[in-house]
Amino acid sequence: MTFAAPPPYSGRLNTLVIGGRMDADRALLTPRGELVHGCADALAEKLAQLPASTARVDVDMSGVHFMDTSALQFLDVLRDFGHRRRLPVTATRWNGQPRRILELAGLDTTDPLNSPTPARPAPLASAVAQERAEQLHVLQEEIEQLRHAIASRPVIDQARGILMATHGCTSDEAWHVLREASQRSNTKLREIAAAVTAGATPDGPRPPEKLRQALSRALSRHRSGAGGGPGRGRVS
């Protein structure tokens, strides 16, 4: 028996789709995509479709390539389902970024549903709760940084291509020029790249004076270091 996947969430490029099949009385679920906001609801809907005769649920997580702290709700839904139905539930085969998040959260990367939760005295439990909250905050910051890096990558790659075509530098040299200009002008790398990209169009705005000077100095230094002699011109 195979279960139909739920429709993808609107407005997202990377969605969570949960496939499933029955092997006798064992259900095998196969999530694909991201564990983000809404993933717990999608899982609850999928679990509600399982036959009453289901005696075991195994979730293969190898198709999940990204997750944020919403994954903890996803795991809670799985755990609660197993407790309510009194049947074994596993979530295995984690890899990549999701596995790293489990490590940072102090969970078992083989199967986080098996992570022990021993009884603790009240003061210690409070300290553990505070530590867990701090860990979640760190996770959220790391995830936000990853999302910013992913969003910034296209414009940075475009700026590198423009510098390579305009000034005859290599891809690595263009990267170092952007980084050095960012440091010299105390400007975010993405803003430097966006200014270079916008200024490359015929009617595009010129980069601010501070950025032009920082880019020109970085280009001059890298041309001198490469022994390339005079370049093809200053940043316009």
Side-chain angles (χ1 to χ4, degrees):
M1 179 178 180
T2 302
F3 299 96
Y9 305 126
S10 60
R12 293 195 59 80
L13 296 178
N14 297 312
T15 59
L16 179 70
V17 176
I18 306 178
R21 64 181 175 83
M22 294 298 300
D23 182 5
D25 60 357
R26 169 179 174 259
L28 174 63
L29 302 184
T30 52
R32 296 287 184 272
E34 298 182 342
L35 295 188
V36 292
H37 179 70
C39 65
D41 293 337
L43 174 63
E45 181 180 347
K46 178 63 65 175
L47 292 173
Q49 298 174 7
L50 296 179
S53 59
T54 302
R56 178 186 182 90
V57 178
D58 294 316
V59 186
D60 181 347
M61 305 300 300
S62 60
V64 173
H65 57 266
F66 182 88
M67 73 183 195
D68 60 18
T69 51
S70 300
L72 299 178
Q73 297 175 355
F74 184 93
L75 294 174
D76 285 342
V77 169
L78 277 176
R79 188 178 292 108
D80 291 345
F81 181 82
H83 288 165
R84 283 188 288 104
R85 296 282 292 267
R86 298 177 183 235
L87 52 80
V89 179
T90 67
T92 59
R93 301 191 66 193
W94 299 81
N95 52 48
Q97 186 263 2
R99 184 182 179 92
R100 171 62 176 156
I101 296 299
L102 293 179
E103 291 174 349
L104 291 172
L107 298 175
D108 185 347
T109 56
T110 302
D111 183 359
L113 296 178
N114 290 331
S115 297
T117 53
R120 303 175 186 272
L124 182 55
S126 177
V128 170
Q130 181 178 356
E131 181 181 358
R132 180 64 175 273
E134 292 174 353
Q135 289 175 333
L136 291 179
H137 180 68
V138 170
L139 291 179
Q140 289 169 337
E141 287 186 341
E142 179 172 323
I143 290 165
E144 191 63 22
Q145 290 171 2
L146 286 172
R147 287 205 179 277
H148 279 304
I150 291 170
S152 301
R153 184 62 184 265
V155 71
I156 292 174
D157 286 344
Q158 291 176 29
R160 290 169 71 179
I162 291 168
L163 291 178
M164 291 166 64
T166 306
H167 299 280
C169 53
T170 67
S171 178
D172 284 345
E173 288 170 346
W175 169 252
H176 288 298
V177 165
L178 290 172
R179 285 191 60 188
E180 183 175 330
S182 172
Q183 294 168 356
R184 284 180 178 272
S185 61
N186 194 26
T187 305
K188 291 182 179 179
L189 183 61
R190 187 182 189 284
E191 294 178 9
I192 289 279
V196 170
T197 303
T201 59
D203 56 349
R206 298 181 68 196
E209 179 64 23
K210 179 176 71 171
L211 301 191
R212 292 204 305 273
Q213 290 182 3
L215 284 164
S216 293
R217 290 171 182 167
L219 283 164
S220 296
R221 197 179 75 79
H222 282 277
R223 284 196 298 264
S224 299
R232 302 184 182 181
R234 298 172 61 85
V235 176
S236 59

